[in-house]
Each structure stands twice: as C-alpha cells, then as structure tokens.
Amino acid sequence: MSHPEWEKIGSLEPPPHAQVSMSMFGVVGVIVSIITFLLDIESDAMLAYLLWRQAEDNHGTSSGDDAYGWFVITVVIIILPMVILNILSFVWYWQNRQCLGDYCILHKMTIPQKCFRGVMHLLLLGPLMRYVDTLFYGLRAKRATRHVLINGQPVIRRTPLGEVYAVLQMVIARDAAMLDMLHSFLQDCPQLVFQVFLLYRSPAIMDFKMDSLTVAAQAWKVSVALFAMSWSLVTYQDELRKNERGKQSLGMMAVVVCLLWRVFMLGSRVLAIASFAAIQIPHVDDGIHRRWAYYSEGEGYVITYPVITAIVLSAHWILMIIWIHAQKTNFCAAEDGSRKPVRELLYNVIMGWVHCFCYINLKDSPTRLRMTFFYIIIGLQNTVFISVWYVEVFDDYEALWFKVTIVFLVELLFVLGLCALIGYYAFLHPECRNQRPRTQYQTEPINFPTTTL
C-alpha cells in the first residue's frame, strides 16, 4: 500500500460502502422486515376473504351491498400499490445495471436466477426478493475478508470481491428501504385509515354472526399496518444515513425510540382522521335521499364527512408539495449532480403524501424550525378533527366514556410521540454520541464506475 495514489486515498473520507457491515443487529432488522412483509400479506388476504364472505352471506340486502363495496375498496388498496411497487422494483434492478455495469446484481446472476426474480415480481413479491438479496450479499461481504499488515499490525480488510458485495448490499438495501416506505404509505396507510373507518361503521354493515371475527381481522390489520409504517420509516432513515459519507447508523436504543416516535405519531394521526371521516348522518326515516358522498335535503346538497376529509387531506397534500419544493430538494440528481425537474417533482408529490401523516427530513440541514412548523399544523388538525367528531358523533358511540377515551387517546399519543422525538434528538441521535477518533481508510483496489448511488 505504498503507492502514492493509495496513500492519498488513505487520508480521504471513506466511501459510503466502507461502513456497510451486516452485523447481527442488521440481520435481525432484515428478518423483521421480511416477517412484517409476510404478515402484511397475510392480514390483507384474511381481511379481504372475510369481507367477501360477509358480502356473500348478506347477498341481496343493503348490508350485503355495503360489504361488497368495502370488499372491492379493500382489494383495490391491496393490489394496485403492489403492482406499482413491483414495477418500480424491476425497473430499479435494470437501472442499477446501467449505473454499476459489470458489478450490477443482474450481471452476477445466472439465467435461472434472473428468471426466478422475474417470476417473483409477476407474483408481486419483488420486495421480498430484495430483502433476501440484502441478507445474501451482506453475509457474502462479511465473509470476503483477508488479513493484511498495516504498520506492522494484522488488520482484517475486505477483498476486492468483498468490496463488490458491500456496494451491492448498500444499493439493494437502500432501494428495499425506499420500496418498503412506498409500500407503507401507498397501501398500509390508506388501508389503516379505511379499516379504522370501517370499525366505526361495522355495526351498520356486519351481521351478528360474522361481526366478532371480522372486527378481530380488522383490528389485526390495523396493528400490523401501524407497525409496518413505523418500521419502514425507521429503516428508511437508517439506510439514508448509511449511504452518506461520515454518517453513523442508528444504534439499538435509537431504533427503539424512533419506532415509538413513529408509532405514537401515526397512531394519533390515523385515529383522528378516521374518526372524523366516520361521522355519519343520522339514519332516520325523513325522506332524505342519501349517498356516501352527499345527501339531498330539499333543493340543496350536503357533503358528507368522508368527502370533507378527502378535501382537507388533499389541501394538506398540496401544501406539503409546495413546502417540499421550496426546500429545493435534489434527491433525483443526475450523475453530474444536475437536477431532473420532472423526476424531482414526482418525488416531491410522493413525499408530500407521506407528509400528510408524518415528518421526514429531506434535506441535510438543521430541522428544528421545519419540524416545529410541521407538528404545529398536524397537532392543530388532529385536535380539530377529533373535536368535531366529539360534537357530531351519535347513536352507537354516544356514550360519554367512549368519546372521552378516543379524544384523550388522540392527544395522549401525540404528546408521547413528541416526547419520544425530543428524547431521540436530545440523547440518541448518532451525532450526539461520542465520536471515536477517525482512522485512515484502507482497502484493496477495485475498478468501479463513478456513479451517484
């Protein structure tokens, strides 16, 4: 390692993949992601089946017609996002080939392996293959090491092949985290709001025989979706840090506290939105012509609460898109660092939807003012939603203890989320930990093309 070029490299900041290592904690994290993905599929399938059974058992009745409608909406929320995600996953495999050339994962596969991944994507299980690839290349990179002498001391360093595996693990894990987050907010988030909405409406659409089983399936789906969304945000944040030079990954306690922060905030937000949307017009025999979107009263029309909720969220979504665009993000940069306006706008639209429910830092700069602005808006919206629900709710939910409990739960979860957020940034954020003295980065030479990963 006496070559002058390598001496120069040894004094530079190590590349991002140098700090990529598949520790036992990392293996557990990938396994948790796999289990969460499978539970998500299982809960979706079980819920869709029970709603279909409910519709069939009440065929020809108003309850059966409603249940058919809920079944169709549930299936659309399940299938459409999965199709989009698997198309993105397949396209990203091909784009990685263009970026990494001979070191792309597709180049390392045999024809049967490529065909198998194609079949998995056709079966809408592409994200699952990415988790498996992350484990595979992470463990291969961990094994592809050798002992070298540096200043007379034996040190373990990766071989050139190990460097290849480390880059592949970093790229695949990053893409898997992004797909996981998209899956959570394109599928789990709408499903979570919709199923909480149905839990409020269940006495009107479920018959007595199926009620307990269907409600249990809905409650299970809500729990899985809430955890999946929170976990996807934590893993996405951690993978972004791993892809930046000089950034430390999250520690175990930081992951736990971040997970609590996300669970509490998302729980409060979803409960407030779903409660507001579930407010019903009283069912009385007054001759009023009713629809789910509106009802007619005399010569006028009154919009129902599900539509009002959609309008409020759409306005919030547009506000968040404008706000994110004003931050001048550059996530979809070209290899030379130039912006790609169309792709960046699409990214801002997606992140704007995510910001309808939670905050994600999209720019490497101080976030205190941005987070304060965001959580003030979210806190006020949640309070207005649940206050209107408290005043307007009726019939089966008019018991004072129930209404007080829901209002208290929304506000309590929000406060607990703020406490977890403050605790994370005050004590557990990676930059709050004591920095160890940096050592020179040494590696074996490898001919990678220059690219933005």
Side-chain angles (χ1 to χ4, degrees):
M1 300 297 292
S2 60
H3 193 281
E5 289 298 322
W6 282 100
E7 291 177 0
K8 180 180 178 181
I9 291 176
S11 63
L12 297 176
E13 189 77 20
H17 72 272
Q19 58 192 9
V20 173
S21 178
M22 183 59 73
S23 63
M24 181 58 66
F25 184 60
V27 172
V28 172
V30 177
I31 293 175
V32 170
S33 296
I34 293 174
I35 293 175
T36 303
F37 181 81
L38 295 176
L39 287 177
D40 212 6
I41 294 176
E42 175 269 335
S43 59
D44 284 334
M46 179 174 63
L47 183 58
Y49 170 73
L50 289 176
L51 286 174
W52 175 78
R53 280 282 305 276
Q54 179 67 30
E56 287 293 309
D57 292 345
N58 293 275
H59 181 70
T61 66
S62 59
S63 295
D65 293 339
D66 286 339
Y68 271 121
W70 305 143
F71 166 74
V72 171
I73 295 174
T74 299
V75 171
V76 170
I77 294 175
I78 293 171
I79 299 298
L80 185 59
M82 290 299 292
V83 172
I84 296 173
L85 289 174
N86 280 271
I87 291 175
L88 284 176
S89 177
F90 192 80
V91 170
W92 287 355
Y93 269 125
W94 187 260
Q95 287 182 341
N96 288 342
R97 181 178 183 178
Q98 294 177 329
C99 292
L100 298 177
D102 290 343
Y103 297 99
C104 169
I105 180 174
L106 292 179
H107 184 80
K108 300 295 180 183
M109 291 180 188
T110 63
I111 293 179
Q113 289 175 326
K114 294 178 183 179
C115 293
F116 179 71
R117 277 159 179 76
V119 171
M120 291 294 285
H121 280 78
L122 289 176
L123 295 175
L124 305 182
L125 297 175
L128 182 61
M129 285 307 307
R130 287 187 172 272
Y131 296 134
V132 175
D133 287 337
T134 300
L135 275 178
F136 176 77
Y137 286 105
L139 295 176
R140 291 290 292 269
K142 193 174 184 65
R143 295 195 191 110
T145 57
R146 58 189 288 184
H147 287 81
V148 297
L149 291 177
I150 298 180
N151 297 327
Q153 298 294 326
V155 179
I156 297 178
R157 288 290 183 259
R158 289 195 186 109
T159 64
L161 187 59
E163 294 293 314
V164 175
Y165 290 146
V167 172
L168 291 176
Q169 178 203 347
M170 181 184 71
V171 174
I172 295 169
R174 179 204 60 188
D175 290 348
M178 184 66 177
L179 286 171
D180 192 20
M181 189 185 68
L182 290 176
H183 173 259
S184 294
F185 284 90
L186 292 178
Q187 185 195 83
D188 287 329
C189 185
Q191 195 75 275
L192 180 57
V193 174
F194 184 60
Q195 295 308 321
V196 174
F197 170 87
L198 286 188
L199 285 172
Y200 279 112
R201 295 291 183 95
S202 59
I205 67 170
M206 307 290 180
D207 82 9
F208 180 80
K209 180 176 63 176
M210 291 288 293
D211 184 66
S212 59
L213 183 58
T214 307
V215 169
Q218 290 174 305
W220 171 242
K221 176 59 191 177
V222 167
S223 302
V224 171
L226 182 59
F227 178 83
M229 290 173 63
S230 304
W231 181 252
S232 71
L233 289 169
V234 175
T235 55
Y236 179 71
Q237 178 181 354
D238 194 34
E239 288 302 328
L240 284 185
R241 295 192 63 85
K242 291 177 181 178
N243 279 264
E244 293 289 336
R245 291 177 181 269
K247 296 284 188 179
Q248 294 186 9
S249 60
L250 301 179
M252 184 180 298
M253 284 303 300
V255 168
V256 172
V257 174
C258 275
L259 189 62
L260 292 176
W261 160 29
R262 298 302 189 178
V263 167
F264 291 145
M265 284 297 185
L266 288 171
S268 173
R269 182 67 171 165
V270 168
L271 185 57
I273 293 173
S275 299
F276 182 80
I279 299 174
Q280 300 183 69
I281 304 299
H283 289 278
V284 295
D285 189 14
D286 52 8
I288 295 177
H289 187 62
R290 305 181 187 280
R291 290 289 184 271
W292 72 271
Y294 67 90
Y295 72 94
S296 60
E297 190 174 37
E299 297 182 355
Y301 293 92
V302 178
I303 299 176
T304 58
Y305 282 95
V307 177
I308 296 175
T309 305
I311 294 173
V312 173
L313 286 181
S314 297
H316 183 92
W317 188 2
I318 294 173
L319 175 64
M320 291 296 103
I321 293 172
I322 296 172
W323 183 50
I324 293 171
H325 180 74
Q327 297 179 34
K328 298 181 179 179
T329 59
N330 197 25
F331 184 84
C332 302
E335 294 183 10
D336 59 359
S338 61
R339 287 173 57 87
K340 294 185 176 180
V342 176
R343 293 186 182 182
E344 198 67 32
L345 177 60
L346 178 60
Y347 172 75
N348 291 344
V349 169
I350 295 173
M351 289 298 106
W353 172 248
V354 174
H355 277 74
C356 288
F357 298 90
C358 64
Y359 177 84
I360 295 180
N361 186 26
L362 302 176
K363 197 170 182 180
D364 191 11
S365 62
T367 62
R368 185 176 301 174
L369 291 179
R370 293 199 296 269
M371 294 183 75
T372 301
F373 167 75
F374 177 82
Y375 282 116
I376 286 175
I377 292 179
I378 292 297
L380 290 175
Q381 283 186 0
N382 290 353
T383 300
V384 171
F385 281 152
I386 204 63
S387 298
V388 173
W389 174 84
Y390 181 86
V391 173
E392 296 293 332
V393 75
F394 59 90
D395 289 345
D396 296 313
Y397 307 114
E398 65 183 356
L400 182 62
W401 70 267
F402 180 84
K403 296 198 292 187
V404 171
T405 301
I406 295 298
V407 173
F408 177 75
L409 191 58
V410 169
E411 301 299 340
L412 176 64
L413 289 174
F414 185 79
V415 172
L416 290 176
L418 286 180
C419 292
L421 166 64
I422 295 171
Y424 166 70
Y425 277 100
F427 304 106
L428 298 172
H429 192 275
E431 296 190 6
C432 294
R433 292 181 287 180
N434 294 329
Q435 299 290 334
R436 296 181 179 178
R438 291 189 179 275
T439 58
Q440 290 188 340
Y441 173 69
Q442 305 284 349
T443 183
E444 296 289 337
I446 181 171
N447 296 321
F448 272 117
T450 303
T451 180
T452 303
L453 299 177

